[in-house]
């Protein structure tokens, strides 16, 4: 596709379950980013990938959060043992290289019951 | 930690009115970006300002970067209902972290017909 694609668009799960969120960046974009947007808040940086490496994981809130990227393409963000405070929209963005404009997907709205 | 304060947080105006949104920080940014986000979608980049004192115009939208590169404003002339949305400013970090965007909490604009 032409843009950044995220799936699922919505996810409802019970507290304590693990979830996987997927991001397909724009083809050819080497840089990929994950953000979290809580209700009424701005975007909170989580992690940055350059190729398949993550030189900056400083925004991951706890060790329950992890992310990987393969083939310099698809990325997955995994949240283990979900908590209610994890409820948010998780946004993925990609850019051609790191200092170029970021293009965002439409996000995954995660709700923890 | 770099922070961006946006004001006002909410703005409801009538069609045809003018408005200004402010984005302020105590930190210097190498560039500042403005995004517009509609419900259920990711942010879309409107403009990037790089040089202190820079003014950019995009139809009825005027963006200004402060001389010290710590603040920015967005002015909309003769607002229309189609301008309704969440406006976010984001500062780009300096050398070594040029990939990292720090977002404000956003201004939710409603333009009533």
């Amino acid at each position: 596709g032409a843009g950044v694609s995220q799936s699922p668009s919505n996810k409802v799960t019970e507290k304590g379950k693990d979830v996987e969120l997927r991001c397909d960046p724009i083809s050819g974009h080497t840089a990929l980013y994950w953000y979290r947007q809580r209700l009424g808040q701005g975007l909170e940086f989580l992690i940055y990938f350059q190729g398949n490496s993550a030189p900056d994981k400083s925004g991951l809130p706890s060790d329950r959060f992890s992310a990987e990227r393969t083939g310099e393409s698809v990325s997955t963000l995994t949240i283990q043992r979900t908590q209610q405070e994890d409820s948010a929209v998780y946004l993925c963005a990609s850019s051609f290289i790191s200092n170029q404009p970021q293009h965002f997907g439409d996000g995954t709205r995660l709700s923890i019951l | 930690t770099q922070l961006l304060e946006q004001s006002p947080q909410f703005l409801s105006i009538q069609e045809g009115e003018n408005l200004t949104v402010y984005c302020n920080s105590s930190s210097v940014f190498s560039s500042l970006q403005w995004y517009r986000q509609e419900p259920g979608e990711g942010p879309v980049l409107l403009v990037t300002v790089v040089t202190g004192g820079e003014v950019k115009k995009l139809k009825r939208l005027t963006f200004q970067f402060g001389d010290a590169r710590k603040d920015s404003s967005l002015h909309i002339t003769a607002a229309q209902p189609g301008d309704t949305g969440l406006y976010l400013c984001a500062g780009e970090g300096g050398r070594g972290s040029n990939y990292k965007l720090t977002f404000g909490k956003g201004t939710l604009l409603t333009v009533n017909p």
Side-chain angles (χ1 to χ4, degrees):
Chain A
V4 177
S5 178
Q6 291 188 247
S7 60
S9 54
N10 288 282
K11 177 73 176 179
V12 180
T13 193
E14 293 179 347
K15 176 182 169 181
K17 300 282 189 184
D18 298 351
V19 295
E20 262 192 14
L21 312 180
R22 176 186 169 110
C23 173
D24 284 90
I26 293 172
S27 178
H29 280 195
T30 64
L32 186 146
Y33 319 80
W34 283 97
Y35 294 88
R36 178 169 70 177
Q37 187 174 29
R38 289 177 161 148
L39 189 63
Q41 303 292 314
L43 279 67
E44 176 188 1
F45 169 82
L46 298 179
I47 188 170
Y48 155 65
F49 285 93
Q50 179 55 49
N52 293 333
S53 301
D56 190 344
K57 307 179 183 179
S58 63
L60 293 178
S62 73
D63 59 8
R64 296 187 296 105
F65 287 72
S66 62
E68 65 173 14
R69 188 179 185 196
T70 56
E72 298 196 353
S73 180
V74 172
S75 176
T76 55
L77 176 68
T78 301
I79 309 173
Q80 295 178 309
R81 304 181 302 282
T82 52
Q83 303 294 313
Q84 287 187 331
E85 64 262 27
D86 299 334
S87 295
V89 176
Y90 289 82
L91 289 155
C92 174
S94 71
S95 62
F96 182 62
I97 55 175
S98 64
N99 65 349
Q100 293 297 302
Q102 297 181 21
H103 300 263
F104 284 84
D106 287 339
T108 293
R109 182 176 299 275
L110 178 64
S111 299
I112 309 300
L113 302 178
Chain B
T1 302
Q2 296 178 311
L3 293 174
L4 275 169
E5 300 281 343
Q6 272 189 253
S7 62
Q9 190 175 354
F10 300 97
L11 192 54
S12 180
I13 61 171
Q14 294 301 121
E15 183 175 2
E17 291 183 359
N18 301 332
L19 67 115
T20 302
V21 175
Y22 299 94
C23 179
N24 297 295
S25 176
S26 58
S27 302
V28 175
F29 291 98
S30 55
S31 71
L32 200 135
Q33 301 173 13
W34 284 92
Y35 291 81
R36 180 165 164 259
Q37 185 179 21
E38 299 199 45
E41 299 182 6
V44 175
L45 181 66
L46 297 174
V47 79
T48 301
V49 285
V50 178
T51 307
E54 182 176 3
V55 176
K56 280 192 174 178
K57 292 193 174 184
L58 187 65
K59 295 183 181 178
R60 294 175 294 100
L61 278 60
T62 301
F63 304 85
Q64 185 160 9
F65 202 12
D67 291 341
R69 305 205 322 270
K70 293 182 179 182
D71 54 85
S72 182
S73 64
L74 158 60
H75 182 79
I76 302 179
T77 304
Q80 299 177 0
D83 296 328
T84 293
L86 179 67
Y87 289 82
L88 295 158
C89 65
E92 183 179 355
R95 184 172 39 183
S97 60
N98 62 356
Y99 56 87
K100 202 164 191 173
L101 293 179
T102 300
F103 280 84
K105 291 185 178 181
T107 295
L108 186 60
L109 172 65
T110 303
V111 182
N112 303 298

